Structures are given as C-alpha cells and as structure tokens.
Amino acid sequence: MLAHSPPLPLIIDYDDELDALTAEDEEAIVLALGHRNRVRRIRLAMPVPNLQKLIVGMDEEYPVLEYLVVGPSMQDSTALIFPGTLQAPHLRHLTLLGFANPIGSRLFTTAVGLVTLCLIITHPHAYLQPDNLLQWISSIPRLEILTIFFVFPVPSHDVFQGVSAYLEALVRRITAPRLEIDFFKQITFSVPRLLQFMNMTESFKFNSAEFQFFDDNVDMKVYPHVGATMYAFSIVVYCQHLDRQVSSVAQISKSSIQVFSVVEHLTLVHGRSSEERNEADGTEWREFLRSFSNVKTLNVDDGLVKEVSRCLQMYDGELLLVLLPELRELTYPRSSDTDDIFTSFIDARRNAGRPITLTRR
C-alpha cells in the first residue's frame, strides 16, 4: 500500500499497554518509519524492549515530522536511550517519557521550532540540571509550553526543597506569557523567585482567583479579570486530604502575598467526593485568607461553607476586621443546614461599620 499510494503524509500511532509488540506490527512500523519524507506524526507507547529496538532505527532526518510522542506504556526501571543522530527540523511538539538525558542528541540542536515540550523524567540518572535545561531551551525561541515531570525525588545536592526549588532555579532566568506549575506530594513550599518573576512579568496582571479542592489535588487558577476563559497562571498541588490541601495553598499564598493582595474576586470550589478527613485546621484557613487583603467578593461553594464560616468565627476582637478587610459581598449556596451560618460574621462586620451583602444562590 505504501509503495503504490500517493505520497500523502503518514501518521504512525501505536499504543499497547501490556502486550509485547508482535512481529507483524513491528515490521509494519519499521516499514512506515522508513518513509522519512512522509512521516508527519509519531506516537509510540509499548514495553521498553520493543520501543528501544524501534527508536534505534530512527537515526536520520525526518524532514516533515511535526509531532513526536515516545515512551514506555508502563513505568519501567530501564532508561531508554534516545537516538543521537535523529533530526527533525520542523518538529513542533515533543513528549519524551523514560529516556536517559536526551539533550546530547542532534534532535535538540535542529528542532529550534518547538512550540511545546514535555519531558517526563522517571530515572534519577536522567535528571536534568536547571542550568543545562535552560541553556538548551534558550535556543528554542518559539517555545510556548514547557512541562517537566519528575517521577522521583529531585536530587538534594542540587536543590534542597524538592520541586519548588527546581522551579526557583528556572523562573529566575525565563519569561513567559502564562505559567502552569504542578507539585506532587510536596509538604513545604518556598518560592520567593517565583514571586519576583510574577511581579516582573507584565502579562501576570489579574484580579480574580479560583481554588478548586478535589479528591487528590488542589488546583489554583488566577485570571486577569472576572469571566476570563484563559488563566494567567495555574498551580496544582497533588495531595489527597483537605487539611494538607489547605496547608499547601496557605503556604503558597503567604509566600506570594504581594501577588495575591491585588485579587478582588475569590472563588472556593468544592469538588471532593470523599468525606474522609474532610476538615482543615481553622488556623490554616485563616492563614490562607489573610493573603487576600483586597478581595471584595467571595464565592464559597457547597461543601466548604462550614469550613470557611468556622475560620471566620471571632476568637479575638480584631479577627473579623483583619481577615478580608475589603470584603463587600459573600455568596454561598442555599442549603437548609447552612441558613444562618454566617450570621455572626455578618453582624460583627456591620457593627464595625464594614457591612457585607450576603447573597444566597
């Protein structure tokens, strides 16, 4: 079919999670890969032995290749070796999983038109030092999306606070129109350079923030204005229990208080299905809310109403004025067991000359 069909672009897409590659399928893939002038997209996911055998043969130029996604179909202790002579001058999107450090390949000196790059690093000996990574991506002027996943602890001899410190080493030397960060099971956060980066980047101008609490992560998105469909930056922290999630966002917001102090509209979304340990320390909630000194509207989703109302209860005479001092409107769902839950807070603020409009939806 390949020999007698018109020279149309080829897409090679093979994904088998469990079974070894059959001889027939291997022969077909090798035959298709041999038509280098026609291959536009490649996605290969299969057990490591089969995958390594195939990518060894990708050792020449693929002049029209635009999309390359390669990695084992399951986590494996063996690191893949990337072909050193592979070239793809028109490559736009690249995802590599489970490879040893691939930067020495000719691909990374010829693919200067990359728009998205995702590196999933599963082995410590494939670890990329921040300086080496930055030197490489500095030669990719069109890069818009950079994603780096570590599936192992970041080496302590380079950075001392895990992924957040790796992030710190990167952001001090990059500019970006949009930023998305994922933290996996990290307990402490210290990101002062991230704060500096956001303050110096003109595109990070916003007044609306949304925090979504799910079963296995908390997702923070900050928008330039209410109703915006594209966020200015996003941070996702992967941890399960609500108390850990609130502690995480409290640390991040506290370390970035200069950034969050301009937010005027704050939304708290409850997306959790599990009720296990579905409570957080009121101190952590207060620490979190203290960073939002300019919030004027607060929208609290069902499932978090009791949590938020509990932290707003007065335990000293000044608390209700210190937390959310500019708040003008509080919105929460209409529910039979939360009808009067914010009454003491509303009354106290009114008596202090700072009235709040309560909206039930």
Side-chain angles (χ1 to χ4, degrees):
M1 183 182 69
L2 288 174
H4 299 284
S5 63
L8 299 173
L10 297 180
I11 296 175
I12 303 172
D13 193 327
Y14 189 95
D15 188 344
D16 196 315
E17 295 184 358
L18 299 176
D19 298 330
L21 186 67
T22 66
E24 183 180 4
D25 285 345
E26 180 180 344
E27 182 181 2
I29 294 173
V30 170
L31 180 62
L33 288 172
H35 288 257
R36 294 180 176 84
N37 292 330
R38 296 175 57 182
V39 177
R40 182 167 292 178
R41 297 168 64 94
I42 299 174
R43 186 171 73 98
L44 298 175
M46 62 189 69
V48 167
N50 301 112
L51 188 56
Q52 185 65 75
K53 186 177 179 181
L54 286 175
I55 61 178
V56 165
M58 298 169 58
D59 58 354
E60 296 184 23
E61 181 175 337
Y62 285 77
V64 299
L65 183 63
E66 296 180 352
Y67 178 99
L68 178 61
V69 177
V70 184
S73 53
M74 63 187 72
Q75 189 168 344
D76 193 286
S77 59
T78 305
L80 290 159
I81 306 300
F82 199 80
T85 56
L86 172 64
Q87 299 179 62
H90 290 93
L91 193 64
R92 297 292 178 266
H93 309 281
L94 175 63
T95 296
L96 298 178
L97 185 155
F99 283 86
N101 190 332
I103 289 182
S105 169
R106 291 189 65 183
L107 177 69
F108 297 94
T109 60
T110 59
V112 295
L114 278 177
V115 176
T116 64
L117 171 63
C118 177
L119 300 176
I120 304 172
I121 303 172
T122 60
H123 306 281
H125 55 274
Y127 169 70
L128 293 171
Q129 292 188 351
D131 286 346
N132 293 339
L133 176 64
L134 286 166
Q135 183 178 3
W136 170 41
I137 64 176
S138 66
S139 64
I140 310 175
R142 298 180 183 177
L143 189 64
E144 296 179 1
I145 299 175
L146 171 64
T147 304
I148 304 173
F149 286 96
F150 290 101
V151 191
F152 62 91
V154 175
S156 60
H157 63 270
D158 281 321
V159 290
F160 297 95
Q161 296 173 356
V163 176
S164 62
Y166 194 95
L167 171 66
E168 287 281 280
L170 291 181
V171 298
R172 64 192 175 101
R173 292 172 55 186
I174 65 173
T175 59
R178 188 162 60 96
L179 188 64
E180 182 168 348
I181 305 162
D182 291 356
F183 291 107
F184 289 88
K185 300 180 180 179
Q186 186 165 331
I187 298 175
T188 59
F189 302 86
S190 178
V191 285
R193 291 191 183 275
L194 173 61
L195 171 61
Q196 182 182 10
F197 169 72
M198 293 165 61
N199 282 335
M200 294 176 60
T201 304
E202 288 296 323
S203 60
F204 290 144
K205 305 300 181 184
F206 43 77
N207 74 345
S208 176
E210 181 174 289
F211 289 76
Q212 300 174 323
F213 297 85
F214 298 109
D215 285 336
D216 59 356
N217 70 80
V218 54
D219 187 353
M220 177 189 73
K221 287 183 169 61
V222 181
Y223 297 86
H225 56 82
V226 174
T229 57
M230 179 58 69
Y231 52 82
F233 75 93
S234 168
I235 296 179
V236 182
V237 181
Y238 287 87
C239 56
Q240 293 184 340
H241 302 302
L242 184 61
D243 54 352
R244 284 277 307 279
Q245 294 176 356
V246 176
S247 175
S248 298
V249 295
Q251 292 180 63
I252 293 172
S253 61
K254 183 179 180 180
S255 67
S256 308
I257 191 169
Q258 291 176 315
V259 174
F260 290 108
S261 63
V262 302
V263 171
E264 296 184 359
H265 308 281
L266 177 62
T267 299
L268 305 178
V269 178
H270 183 269
R272 299 175 60 86
S273 60
S274 171
E275 296 301 318
E276 181 184 1
R277 293 182 62 186
N278 196 17
E279 289 186 2
D281 187 350
T283 303
E284 297 287 0
W285 275 110
R286 286 188 284 271
E287 196 67 36
F288 165 62
L289 292 176
R290 190 171 282 113
S291 303
F292 296 90
S293 57
N294 198 42
V295 161
K296 295 175 175 56
T297 64
L298 173 62
N299 187 356
V300 184
D301 206 0
D302 198 11
L304 294 175
V305 171
K306 292 182 179 180
E307 292 279 324
V308 174
S309 66
R310 189 182 303 115
C311 88
L312 292 176
Q313 298 302 315
M314 184 182 298
Y315 69 89
D316 64 53
E318 299 298 323
L319 175 63
L320 296 181
L321 300 181
V322 171
L323 285 182
L324 306 175
E326 299 299 321
L327 186 64
R328 297 293 179 264
E329 182 177 351
L330 173 59
T331 302
Y332 70 103
R334 185 176 301 278
S335 175
S336 59
D337 61 346
T338 60
D339 284 344
D340 303 317
I341 201 165
F342 287 107
T343 298
S344 62
F345 174 67
I346 297 297
D347 291 344
R349 292 293 290 264
R350 183 177 61 250
N351 294 335
R354 296 185 179 181
I356 296 174
T357 299
L358 193 64
T359 303
R360 306 289 301 280
R361 65 175 190 276

